Amino acid sequence: DVKVTQSSRYLVKRTGEKVFLECVQDMDHENMFWYRQDPGLGLRLIYFSYDVKMKEKGDIPEGYSVSREKKERFSLILESASTNQTSMYLCASSATDRGTEAFFGQGTRLTVV
Amino acid sequence: GENVEQHPSTLSVQEGDSAVIKCTYSDSASNYFPWYKQELGKGPQLIIDIRSNVGEKKDQRIAVTLNKTAKHFSLHITETQPEDSAVYFCAASPPNDYKLSFGAGTTVTVRA
């Protein structure tokens, strides 16, 4: 089974802190994604990566950055956390040769106080 | 970019009845339409998908239909059971693009 693991289920951070959310997948997938999930807004794409060292902005990249130094790991960085970044963050991965089926992690519930 | 709208936002059905969720999309080039189910405390999981060369696909109690002319697709759950209670998301993706654009989600509650 494909496994996408996010490092934390729950995080509480203070405004202005630099926050790292880590995601690791164990199926050698080329593609990795970060989404945020908010009630009534569904899943919105923050950043994605189709290869190591590669990153592309999604629909809502402002206030975020990413890092993909290894194929299996995709990190989301909140440079200076703000209260409007309180949300559920979901990491996903997919394999290029299997089309677009995405596998999700269990999510990280981030609260910025 | 692609814009996906999903209705209704909440749906309550009696156990054994059917549930239908509808989505529309804006990009006529989109050709992949998956449906995800998210149970409480878990990440979304793919339950069924359909590609633009197919009009309908079934898997046991769930089915998806696609109308490319009207740019809409629907999820049908028959003989609903309590374990069908979850949030369901539709999504769309254009060819040669691995990104998914999601609808806002439908919270389905199956009443015993």
Side-chain angles (χ1 to χ4, degrees):
Chain A
D1 274 356
V2 174
K3 195 163 186 182
V4 179
T5 303
Q6 295 182 228
S7 53
S8 304
R9 290 297 300 271
Y10 301 95
L11 274 179
V12 180
K13 297 292 181 181
R14 295 194 180 279
T15 302
E17 276 193 81
K18 191 169 186 176
V19 182
F20 294 85
L21 302 183
E22 307 287 346
C23 175
V24 177
Q25 49 93 5
D26 65 359
M27 284 301 291
D28 201 36
H29 283 174
E30 295 83 6
N31 311 319
M32 297 190 75
F33 309 86
W34 275 106
Y35 290 89
R36 67 176 279 178
Q37 180 179 4
D38 300 289
L41 297 177
L43 280 66
R44 293 179 292 166
L45 183 63
I46 304 171
Y47 265 95
F48 61 98
S49 169
Y50 291 161
D51 200 354
V52 177
K53 305 280 187 181
M54 177 269 184
K55 59 185 178 184
E56 291 281 348
K57 292 180 180 179
D59 300 319
I60 52 164
E62 295 78 19
Y64 304 94
S65 62
V66 290
S67 172
R68 194 166 182 201
E69 296 295 318
K70 293 185 177 181
K71 190 175 185 180
E72 67 271 18
R73 186 180 297 270
F74 194 35
S75 302
L76 180 69
I77 304 157
L78 286 67
E79 297 291 343
S80 176
S82 63
T83 54
N84 63 11
Q85 293 178 309
T86 291
S87 186
M88 171 70 83
Y89 290 87
L90 290 162
C91 175
S93 72
S94 67
T96 301
D97 63 355
R98 287 185 59 177
T100 319
E101 180 183 355
F103 297 85
F104 283 85
Q106 79 278 22
T108 296
R109 171 79 59 186
L110 172 67
T111 302
V112 182
V113 297
Chain B
E2 175 66 276
N3 181 45
V4 178
E5 295 192 356
Q6 182 173 348
H7 300 279
S9 57
T10 61
L11 182 59
S12 180
V13 296
Q14 190 70 36
E15 183 177 357
D17 287 350
S18 294
V20 180
I21 304 169
K22 298 183 179 182
C23 290
T24 60
Y25 61 98
S26 61
D27 186 350
S28 57
S30 288
N31 67 344
Y32 177 66
F33 308 92
W35 287 86
Y36 284 80
K37 176 184 181 181
Q38 185 179 28
E39 297 175 340
L40 203 61
K42 296 184 179 180
Q45 192 165 22
L46 180 72
I47 55 171
I48 195 167
D49 56 15
I50 192 167
R51 299 188 184 273
S52 61
N53 58 342
V54 176
E56 183 174 359
K57 185 177 178 181
K58 286 184 179 180
D59 183 4
Q60 299 182 334
R61 294 186 298 107
I62 60 174
V64 58
T65 59
L66 171 64
N67 183 327
K68 283 226 78 181
T69 303
K71 291 190 285 187
H72 67 70
F73 56 113
S74 302
L75 177 73
H76 304 252
I77 308 172
T78 59
E79 300 173 21
T80 53
Q81 300 169 5
E83 54 264 37
D84 295 329
S85 295
V87 181
Y88 292 82
F89 293 97
C90 61
S93 180
N96 302 318
D97 191 340
Y98 302 105
K99 302 192 304 291
L100 292 169
S101 296
F102 285 87
T106 297
T107 302
V108 174
T109 303
V110 179
R111 307 187 306 272

